[in-house]
Amino acid sequence: LKIRSAPGLPPILADVTQFNQVMINLCVNARDAMPGGGCIEIATTQIDLDETATRAHPGVAPGPYVQIAVADTGVGIPPEIIDHIFDPFFTTKANDKGTGLGLSTVRGIMKGHQGFIVAESTVGTGTTFFLYFPALVRAATA
């Protein structure tokens, strides 16, 4: 496990229990994608998203975000199914290993926080999930 945290990140407003649920789900999925072992890396950074970047995510406003990337060196997700991984009850795991609700729940939690999640994957190399939480922008005081 590697953790890289950018210095000086702005705060986010998030429900702690739901945040933990998101992180645990992504890390357990990453572990499961690496049956022979591997590396999970969690990295944080601040990013400013413009209208073009947020257009594909209804309800998401342009502005500053804290990005959390959860990457693994696992088997990867085939291109023909990556568009379905956030669908409820979609799973590639055996019936006794998963319900197919984990990633759809993560997407719902991110939407409830006015953020979003994106997945990038290469078969044989691994997968990275990018979480985008709106940064809290504090008004300047006189």
Side-chain angles (χ1 to χ4, degrees):
L1 176 64
K2 295 180 183 177
I3 298 177
R4 290 186 302 118
S5 183
L9 289 175
I12 61 171
L13 181 61
D15 178 277
V16 172
T17 301
Q18 290 182 339
F19 180 85
N20 287 339
Q21 184 177 4
V22 166
M23 296 305 293
I24 289 169
N25 183 282
L26 293 178
C27 289
V28 166
N29 284 353
R31 180 207 60 199
D32 292 349
M34 302 182 298
C39 181
I40 298 172
E41 182 173 344
I42 301 170
T44 61
T45 191
Q46 181 178 347
I47 186 168
D48 289 314
L49 300 177
D50 61 16
E51 275 191 45
T52 303
T54 60
R55 191 172 295 133
H57 308 282
V60 173
Y65 283 77
V66 171
Q67 178 195 72
I68 303 171
V70 179
D72 67 61
T73 57
V75 297
I77 302 169
E80 62 270 13
I81 67 169
I82 198 158
D83 290 340
H84 301 286
I85 62 172
F86 296 110
D87 294 348
F89 304 108
F90 180 84
T91 185
T92 58
K93 296 179 181 179
N95 288 340
D96 61 339
K97 299 293 181 189
T99 62
L101 292 174
L103 289 177
S104 66
T105 299
V106 167
R107 182 180 61 184
I109 290 171
M110 294 306 300
K111 187 174 182 178
H113 286 83
Q114 286 77 51
F116 62 99
I117 183 170
V118 175
E120 294 180 1
S121 188
T122 303
V123 173
T125 303
T127 302
T128 303
F129 286 92
F130 297 95
L131 305 166
Y132 294 88
F133 286 92
L136 288 179
V137 180
R138 300 181 184 187
T141 57

